[in-house]
Amino acid sequence: FTQTMAQTLDARDAYTAGHSSRVGGYAKAIATAMNLSAKEVENVQVGANLHDIGKIGIPDSVLQKPAALTEREFEIIKTHPLIGKRILEGVAKFRDYLSIVELHHENHDGSGYPWGLRGDNVPLGARIVHVVDAYDAMTTSRPYRQAMDPERAQAILRTNAGTQFDPAVVEVFLRLLATDPSVMPALQKSAIDDLPRQLAALNYNLD
């Protein structure tokens, strides 16, 4: 059900199709490598699948803009973590994922959003998703830029460990990318192509 929600969101924009699933896969691998419990690993993966659900509330003119965002437009984008929390917090079963949805853009040095939390004040699941969300965004093409080479994206993670990103999470992720090929997501069919089946599943779950 949660994966269907995430894929339906991804289908709004062909450039981000599959993003939530890839972030979920990366996050699961890191959580497992950090020896989290099975329940914690599941929470991290599902929270990662839902991390961008608040973008449902962002206008298409901003979300799908084929150019770099203005400062005002970026401020609109920055509301999506709180929108996502409001969407999910009314359902008790989603309680375990709220911190990831709300806090996955908080930076390790306190310069992130929406609250400017620092270090361990941000739950580990949100810190994990922050790293892999950034990596997948950098290695995916957008209308206004080409995807970065994985090596360059990894160098950016390393450079920003301790400021933007939790250095322990970055260390684990880079080690996994270097030693475990299974961490890299397989090429996925576009969520747009699969949307009719996904919507049918969503309607079934809501009935």
Side-chain angles (χ1 to χ4, degrees), residues 82-119:
L82 294 178
I83 295 173
K85 180 187 177 184
R86 287 198 297 270
I87 290 171
L88 300 180
E89 64 185 353
V91 181
K93 289 184 179 181
F94 290 156
R95 187 175 299 116
D96 291 338
Y97 319 130
L98 292 181
S99 64
I100 291 176
V101 172
E102 180 184 11
L103 304 175
H104 68 277
H105 281 293
E106 297 287 359
N107 290 339
H108 197 66
D109 63 0
S111 63
Y113 63 89
W115 305 117
L117 301 181
R118 179 188 300 267

mmCIF file of all heavy atoms in Angstrom, residues 82-119:
data_model
loop_
_atom_site.group_PDB
_atom_site.id
_atom_site.type_symbol
_atom_site.label_atom_id
_atom_site.label_comp_id
_atom_site.label_asym_id
_atom_site.label_seq_id
_atom_site.Cartn_x
_atom_site.Cartn_y
_atom_site.Cartn_z
ATOM 1 N N LEU A 82 6.557 19.006 6.073
ATOM 2 C CA LEU A 82 5.456 19.242 7.003
ATOM 3 C C LEU A 82 4.113 18.854 6.391
ATOM 4 O O LEU A 82 3.229 18.361 7.094
ATOM 5 C CB LEU A 82 5.450 20.703 7.440
ATOM 6 C CG LEU A 82 6.660 21.130 8.284
ATOM 7 C CD1 LEU A 82 6.575 22.619 8.630
ATOM 8 C CD2 LEU A 82 6.748 20.297 9.554
ATOM 9 N N ILE A 83 3.968 19.068 5.087
ATOM 10 C CA ILE A 83 2.746 18.612 4.411
ATOM 11 C C ILE A 83 2.642 17.096 4.524
ATOM 12 O O ILE A 83 1.580 16.543 4.826
ATOM 13 C CB ILE A 83 2.727 19.054 2.934
ATOM 14 C CG1 ILE A 83 2.650 20.572 2.822
ATOM 15 C CG2 ILE A 83 1.560 18.399 2.196
ATOM 16 C CD1 ILE A 83 2.804 21.082 1.401
ATOM 17 N N GLY A 84 3.762 16.416 4.287
ATOM 18 C CA GLY A 84 3.765 14.960 4.382
ATOM 19 C C GLY A 84 3.390 14.469 5.761
ATOM 20 O O GLY A 84 2.618 13.506 5.910
ATOM 21 N N LYS A 85 3.932 15.115 6.788
ATOM 22 C CA LYS A 85 3.576 14.719 8.150
ATOM 23 C C LYS A 85 2.079 14.891 8.387
ATOM 24 O O LYS A 85 1.429 14.009 8.973
ATOM 25 C CB LYS A 85 4.367 15.545 9.156
ATOM 26 C CG LYS A 85 4.051 15.182 10.595
ATOM 27 C CD LYS A 85 4.703 16.120 11.588
ATOM 28 C CE LYS A 85 4.311 15.780 13.013
ATOM 29 N NZ LYS A 85 4.857 16.749 13.999
ATOM 30 N N ARG A 86 1.514 16.005 7.931
ATOM 31 C CA ARG A 86 0.082 16.247 8.144
ATOM 32 C C ARG A 86 -0.758 15.209 7.411
ATOM 33 O O ARG A 86 -1.818 14.809 7.903
ATOM 34 C CB ARG A 86 -0.288 17.656 7.683
ATOM 35 C CG ARG A 86 0.229 18.743 8.622
ATOM 36 C CD ARG A 86 -0.512 20.050 8.398
ATOM 37 N NE ARG A 86 -0.313 20.587 7.063
ATOM 38 C CZ ARG A 86 0.661 21.415 6.730
ATOM 39 N NH1 ARG A 86 1.561 21.802 7.633
ATOM 40 N NH2 ARG A 86 0.766 21.867 5.492
ATOM 41 N N ILE A 87 -0.304 14.773 6.238
ATOM 42 C CA ILE A 87 -1.046 13.768 5.487
ATOM 43 C C ILE A 87 -1.103 12.450 6.245
ATOM 44 O O ILE A 87 -2.143 11.781 6.287
ATOM 45 C CB ILE A 87 -0.408 13.554 4.096
ATOM 46 C CG1 ILE A 87 -0.642 14.782 3.203
ATOM 47 C CG2 ILE A 87 -0.956 12.296 3.418
ATOM 48 C CD1 ILE A 87 0.129 14.751 1.909
ATOM 49 N N LEU A 88 0.012 12.073 6.873
ATOM 50 C CA LEU A 88 0.127 10.742 7.465
ATOM 51 C C LEU A 88 -0.256 10.663 8.935
ATOM 52 O O LEU A 88 -0.606 9.587 9.415
ATOM 53 C CB LEU A 88 1.574 10.231 7.319
ATOM 54 C CG LEU A 88 2.112 10.085 5.900
ATOM 55 C CD1 LEU A 88 3.543 9.570 5.940
ATOM 56 C CD2 LEU A 88 1.243 9.151 5.067
ATOM 57 N N GLU A 89 -0.197 11.780 9.660
ATOM 58 C CA GLU A 89 -0.304 11.690 11.109
ATOM 59 C C GLU A 89 -1.696 11.309 11.597
ATOM 60 O O GLU A 89 -1.851 10.880 12.744
ATOM 61 C CB GLU A 89 0.134 13.000 11.767
ATOM 62 C CG GLU A 89 -0.724 14.191 11.456
ATOM 63 C CD GLU A 89 -0.143 15.478 12.063
ATOM 64 O OE1 GLU A 89 0.842 15.367 12.810
ATOM 65 O OE2 GLU A 89 -0.663 16.568 11.757
ATOM 66 N N GLY A 90 -2.697 11.392 10.747
ATOM 67 C CA GLY A 90 -4.031 11.000 11.158
ATOM 68 C C GLY A 90 -4.266 9.506 11.122
ATOM 69 O O GLY A 90 -5.317 9.028 11.556
ATOM 70 N N VAL A 91 -3.302 8.746 10.614
ATOM 71 C CA VAL A 91 -3.435 7.287 10.515
ATOM 72 C C VAL A 91 -2.452 6.660 11.489
ATOM 73 O O VAL A 91 -1.239 6.814 11.344
ATOM 74 C CB VAL A 91 -3.153 6.800 9.083
ATOM 75 C CG1 VAL A 91 -3.324 5.281 8.997
ATOM 76 C CG2 VAL A 91 -4.072 7.499 8.086
ATOM 77 N N ALA A 92 -2.942 5.943 12.476
ATOM 78 C CA ALA A 92 -2.088 5.414 13.548
ATOM 79 C C ALA A 92 -0.981 4.523 13.010
ATOM 80 O O ALA A 92 0.143 4.548 13.519
ATOM 81 C CB ALA A 92 -2.947 4.650 14.554
ATOM 82 N N LYS A 93 -1.261 3.742 11.961
ATOM 83 C CA LYS A 93 -0.263 2.807 11.446
ATOM 84 C C LYS A 93 0.930 3.509 10.815
ATOM 85 O O LYS A 93 1.964 2.887 10.578
ATOM 86 C CB LYS A 93 -0.910 1.864 10.432
ATOM 87 C CG LYS A 93 -1.866 0.861 11.067
ATOM 88 C CD LYS A 93 -2.414 -0.106 10.027
ATOM 89 C CE LYS A 93 -3.344 -1.125 10.683
ATOM 90 N NZ LYS A 93 -3.891 -2.099 9.698
ATOM 91 N N PHE A 94 0.793 4.799 10.512
ATOM 92 C CA PHE A 94 1.897 5.532 9.900
ATOM 93 C C PHE A 94 2.770 6.246 10.929
ATOM 94 O O PHE A 94 3.723 6.928 10.565
ATOM 95 C CB PHE A 94 1.356 6.573 8.904
ATOM 96 C CG PHE A 94 0.754 5.969 7.661
ATOM 97 C CD1 PHE A 94 -0.185 6.686 6.931
ATOM 98 C CD2 PHE A 94 1.110 4.714 7.227
ATOM 99 C CE1 PHE A 94 -0.750 6.158 5.780
ATOM 100 C CE2 PHE A 94 0.554 4.165 6.079
ATOM 101 C CZ PHE A 94 -0.370 4.886 5.356
ATOM 102 N N ARG A 95 2.468 6.079 12.208
ATOM 103 C CA ARG A 95 3.170 6.842 13.243
ATOM 104 C C ARG A 95 4.678 6.615 13.217
ATOM 105 O O ARG A 95 5.460 7.533 13.439
ATOM 106 C CB ARG A 95 2.603 6.475 14.618
ATOM 107 C CG ARG A 95 3.123 7.327 15.753
ATOM 108 C CD ARG A 95 2.431 7.002 17.062
ATOM 109 N NE ARG A 95 0.995 7.255 16.986
ATOM 110 C CZ ARG A 95 0.052 6.320 17.102
ATOM 111 N NH1 ARG A 95 0.398 5.067 17.304
ATOM 112 N NH2 ARG A 95 -1.222 6.641 17.013
ATOM 113 N N ASP A 96 5.095 5.383 12.939
ATOM 114 C CA ASP A 96 6.516 5.054 12.967
ATOM 115 C C ASP A 96 7.310 5.715 11.842
ATOM 116 O O ASP A 96 8.539 5.710 11.877
ATOM 117 C CB ASP A 96 6.718 3.538 12.880
ATOM 118 C CG ASP A 96 6.256 2.807 14.138
ATOM 119 O OD1 ASP A 96 6.182 3.457 15.197
ATOM 120 O OD2 ASP A 96 5.972 1.598 14.047
ATOM 121 N N TYR A 97 6.630 6.258 10.852
ATOM 122 C CA TYR A 97 7.315 6.833 9.691
ATOM 123 C C TYR A 97 7.336 8.356 9.713
ATOM 124 O O TYR A 97 7.977 8.978 8.864
ATOM 125 C CB TYR A 97 6.641 6.365 8.386
ATOM 126 C CG TYR A 97 6.242 4.909 8.401
ATOM 127 C CD1 TYR A 97 4.948 4.529 8.034
ATOM 128 C CD2 TYR A 97 7.125 3.920 8.809
ATOM 129 C CE1 TYR A 97 4.561 3.191 8.053
ATOM 130 C CE2 TYR A 97 6.744 2.581 8.835
ATOM 131 C CZ TYR A 97 5.458 2.220 8.454
ATOM 132 O OH TYR A 97 5.085 0.907 8.484
ATOM 133 N N LEU A 98 6.630 8.955 10.662
ATOM 134 C CA LEU A 98 6.448 10.406 10.642
ATOM 135 C C LEU A 98 7.766 11.157 10.753
ATOM 136 O O LEU A 98 7.975 12.169 10.080
ATOM 137 C CB LEU A 98 5.508 10.846 11.766
ATOM 138 C CG LEU A 98 4.043 10.410 11.646
ATOM 139 C CD1 LEU A 98 3.248 10.959 12.819
ATOM 140 C CD2 LEU A 98 3.432 10.865 10.332
ATOM 141 N N SER A 99 8.679 10.695 11.616
ATOM 142 C CA SER A 99 9.931 11.437 11.801
ATOM 143 C C SER A 99 10.771 11.445 10.533
ATOM 144 O O SER A 99 11.444 12.434 10.235
ATOM 145 C CB SER A 99 10.729 10.856 12.973
ATOM 146 O OG SER A 99 11.133 9.518 12.705
ATOM 147 N N ILE A 100 10.735 10.361 9.767
ATOM 148 C CA ILE A 100 11.488 10.321 8.508
ATOM 149 C C ILE A 100 10.883 11.288 7.502
ATOM 150 O O ILE A 100 11.591 12.067 6.852
ATOM 151 C CB ILE A 100 11.528 8.890 7.945
ATOM 152 C CG1 ILE A 100 12.387 7.999 8.839
ATOM 153 C CG2 ILE A 100 12.049 8.883 6.505
ATOM 154 C CD1 ILE A 100 12.414 6.544 8.431
ATOM 155 N N VAL A 101 9.576 11.254 7.380
ATOM 156 C CA VAL A 101 8.890 12.149 6.436
ATOM 157 C C VAL A 101 9.127 13.608 6.806
ATOM 158 O O VAL A 101 9.412 14.454 5.939
ATOM 159 C CB VAL A 101 7.379 11.821 6.395
ATOM 160 C CG1 VAL A 101 6.620 12.861 5.584
ATOM 161 C CG2 VAL A 101 7.168 10.426 5.814
ATOM 162 N N GLU A 102 9.053 13.912 8.086
ATOM 163 C CA GLU A 102 9.161 15.301 8.537
ATOM 164 C C GLU A 102 10.597 15.822 8.551
ATOM 165 O O GLU A 102 10.831 17.009 8.271
ATOM 166 C CB GLU A 102 8.587 15.423 9.950
ATOM 167 C CG GLU A 102 8.642 16.830 10.525
ATOM 168 C CD GLU A 102 8.148 16.911 11.952
ATOM 169 O OE1 GLU A 102 7.956 15.846 12.586
ATOM 170 O OE2 GLU A 102 7.939 18.036 12.440
ATOM 171 N N LEU A 103 11.568 14.973 8.825
ATOM 172 C CA LEU A 103 12.916 15.452 9.175
ATOM 173 C C LEU A 103 14.014 15.023 8.203
ATOM 174 O O LEU A 103 15.195 15.206 8.497
ATOM 175 C CB LEU A 103 13.277 14.972 10.588
ATOM 176 C CG LEU A 103 12.291 15.371 11.692
ATOM 177 C CD1 LEU A 103 12.687 14.732 13.014
ATOM 178 C CD2 LEU A 103 12.193 16.890 11.818
ATOM 179 N N HIS A 104 13.662 14.512 7.034
ATOM 180 C CA HIS A 104 14.705 13.982 6.141
ATOM 181 C C HIS A 104 15.508 15.070 5.432
ATOM 182 O O HIS A 104 16.445 14.746 4.684
ATOM 183 C CB HIS A 104 14.101 13.009 5.121
ATOM 184 C CG HIS A 104 13.196 13.642 4.104
ATOM 185 N ND1 HIS A 104 11.870 13.911 4.356
ATOM 186 C CD2 HIS A 104 13.426 14.055 2.836
ATOM 187 C CE1 HIS A 104 11.323 14.453 3.285
ATOM 188 N NE2 HIS A 104 12.246 14.554 2.340
ATOM 189 N N HIS A 105 15.195 16.337 5.657
ATOM 190 C CA HIS A 105 16.017 17.431 5.118
ATOM 191 C C HIS A 105 16.726 18.221 6.213
ATOM 192 O O HIS A 105 17.244 19.313 5.951
ATOM 193 C CB HIS A 105 15.169 18.373 4.257
ATOM 194 C CG HIS A 105 14.902 17.843 2.880
ATOM 195 N ND1 HIS A 105 15.905 17.686 1.939
ATOM 196 C CD2 HIS A 105 13.757 17.413 2.292
ATOM 197 C CE1 HIS A 105 15.377 17.193 0.826
ATOM 198 N NE2 HIS A 105 14.082 17.014 1.018
ATOM 199 N N GLU A 106 16.775 17.688 7.422
ATOM 200 C CA GLU A 106 17.565 18.317 8.480
ATOM 201 C C GLU A 106 19.040 17.992 8.256
ATOM 202 O O GLU A 106 19.386 16.847 7.942
ATOM 203 C CB GLU A 106 17.123 17.816 9.861
ATOM 204 C CG GLU A 106 15.690 18.158 10.222
ATOM 205 C CD GLU A 106 15.483 19.630 10.556
ATOM 206 O OE1 GLU A 106 16.455 20.402 10.524
ATOM 207 O OE2 GLU A 106 14.328 20.003 10.862
ATOM 208 N N ASN A 107 19.909 18.985 8.399
ATOM 209 C CA ASN A 107 21.345 18.795 8.204
ATOM 210 C C ASN A 107 22.054 18.491 9.518
ATOM 211 O O ASN A 107 21.615 18.915 10.589
ATOM 212 C CB ASN A 107 21.966 20.031 7.551
ATOM 213 C CG ASN A 107 21.550 20.187 6.105
ATOM 214 O OD1 ASN A 107 21.137 19.227 5.458
ATOM 215 N ND2 ASN A 107 21.655 21.400 5.601
ATOM 216 N N HIS A 108 23.181 17.807 9.419
ATOM 217 C CA HIS A 108 23.902 17.387 10.617
ATOM 218 C C HIS A 108 24.368 18.583 11.450
ATOM 219 O O HIS A 108 24.476 18.488 12.666
ATOM 220 C CB HIS A 108 25.104 16.526 10.206
ATOM 221 C CG HIS A 108 25.683 15.728 11.320
ATOM 222 N ND1 HIS A 108 25.007 14.703 11.945
ATOM 223 C CD2 HIS A 108 26.891 15.807 11.956
ATOM 224 C CE1 HIS A 108 25.756 14.183 12.899
ATOM 225 N NE2 HIS A 108 26.892 14.830 12.932
ATOM 226 N N ASP A 109 24.647 19.717 10.792
ATOM 227 C CA ASP A 109 25.142 20.891 11.514
ATOM 228 C C ASP A 109 24.031 21.856 11.924
ATOM 229 O O ASP A 109 24.293 22.954 12.411
ATOM 230 C CB ASP A 109 26.193 21.633 10.689
ATOM 231 C CG ASP A 109 25.638 22.196 9.388
ATOM 232 O OD1 ASP A 109 24.428 22.019 9.109
ATOM 233 O OD2 ASP A 109 26.416 22.803 8.623
ATOM 234 N N GLY A 110 22.775 21.477 11.714
ATOM 235 C CA GLY A 110 21.656 22.320 12.129
ATOM 236 C C GLY A 110 21.193 23.324 11.092
ATOM 237 O O GLY A 110 20.320 24.148 11.384
ATOM 238 N N SER A 111 21.735 23.255 9.879
ATOM 239 C CA SER A 111 21.386 24.242 8.853
ATOM 240 C C SER A 111 20.243 23.799 7.943
ATOM 241 O O SER A 111 19.910 24.504 6.996
ATOM 242 C CB SER A 111 22.617 24.547 7.982
ATOM 243 O OG SER A 111 23.032 23.383 7.277
ATOM 244 N N GLY A 112 19.637 22.648 8.232
ATOM 245 C CA GLY A 112 18.586 22.143 7.353
ATOM 246 C C GLY A 112 17.210 22.669 7.704
ATOM 247 O O GLY A 112 17.055 23.648 8.436
ATOM 248 N N TYR A 113 16.190 22.007 7.185
ATOM 249 C CA TYR A 113 14.799 22.413 7.417
ATOM 250 C C TYR A 113 13.950 21.165 7.652
ATOM 251 O O TYR A 113 14.368 20.060 7.323
ATOM 252 C CB TYR A 113 14.279 23.238 6.228
ATOM 253 C CG TYR A 113 14.224 22.520 4.889
ATOM 254 C CD1 TYR A 113 13.093 21.799 4.480
ATOM 255 C CD2 TYR A 113 15.306 22.561 4.004
ATOM 256 C CE1 TYR A 113 13.036 21.157 3.254
ATOM 257 C CE2 TYR A 113 15.267 21.916 2.778
ATOM 258 C CZ TYR A 113 14.132 21.219 2.406
ATOM 259 O OH TYR A 113 14.084 20.579 1.186
ATOM 260 N N PRO A 114 12.777 21.288 8.306
ATOM 261 C CA PRO A 114 12.058 22.529 8.625
ATOM 262 C C PRO A 114 12.409 23.156 9.976
ATOM 263 O O PRO A 114 12.016 24.294 10.230
ATOM 264 C CB PRO A 114 10.593 22.066 8.640
ATOM 265 C CG PRO A 114 10.659 20.645 9.084
ATOM 266 C CD PRO A 114 11.922 20.082 8.493
ATOM 267 N N TRP A 115 13.145 22.462 10.862
ATOM 268 C CA TRP A 115 13.311 22.946 12.233
ATOM 269 C C TRP A 115 14.752 23.313 12.585
ATOM 270 O O TRP A 115 14.993 23.838 13.668
ATOM 271 C CB TRP A 115 12.806 21.896 13.238
ATOM 272 C CG TRP A 115 11.400 21.469 12.985
ATOM 273 C CD1 TRP A 115 10.969 20.227 12.655
ATOM 274 C CD2 TRP A 115 10.223 22.278 13.052
ATOM 275 N NE1 TRP A 115 9.608 20.196 12.497
ATOM 276 C CE2 TRP A 115 9.123 21.459 12.732
ATOM 277 C CE3 TRP A 115 10.001 23.627 13.337
ATOM 278 C CZ2 TRP A 115 7.813 21.931 12.700
ATOM 279 C CZ3 TRP A 115 8.699 24.095 13.297
ATOM 280 C CH2 TRP A 115 7.628 23.258 12.988
ATOM 281 N N GLY A 116 15.700 23.034 11.731
ATOM 282 C CA GLY A 116 17.088 23.341 12.055
ATOM 283 C C GLY A 116 17.650 22.464 13.158
ATOM 284 O O GLY A 116 18.497 22.910 13.940
ATOM 285 N N LEU A 117 17.226 21.199 13.217
ATOM 286 C CA LEU A 117 17.734 20.277 14.223
ATOM 287 C C LEU A 117 19.160 19.853 13.875
ATOM 288 O O LEU A 117 19.558 19.845 12.715
ATOM 289 C CB LEU A 117 16.830 19.048 14.330
ATOM 290 C CG LEU A 117 15.368 19.319 14.699
ATOM 291 C CD1 LEU A 117 14.606 18.006 14.795
ATOM 292 C CD2 LEU A 117 15.266 20.090 16.006
ATOM 293 N N ARG A 118 19.902 19.453 14.902
ATOM 294 C CA ARG A 118 21.324 19.169 14.734
ATOM 295 C C ARG A 118 21.664 17.754 15.231
ATOM 296 O O ARG A 118 21.138 17.298 16.236
ATOM 297 C CB ARG A 118 22.134 20.184 15.541
ATOM 298 C CG ARG A 118 23.644 20.025 15.491
ATOM 299 C CD ARG A 118 24.305 20.959 16.478
ATOM 300 N NE ARG A 118 24.006 22.352 16.191
ATOM 301 C CZ ARG A 118 24.772 23.144 15.442
ATOM 302 N NH1 ARG A 118 25.895 22.669 14.920
ATOM 303 N NH2 ARG A 118 24.434 24.404 15.235
ATOM 304 N N GLY A 119 22.558 17.087 14.523
ATOM 305 C CA GLY A 119 23.161 15.840 14.977
ATOM 306 C C GLY A 119 22.156 14.793 15.403
ATOM 307 O O GLY A 119 21.196 14.480 14.697
#
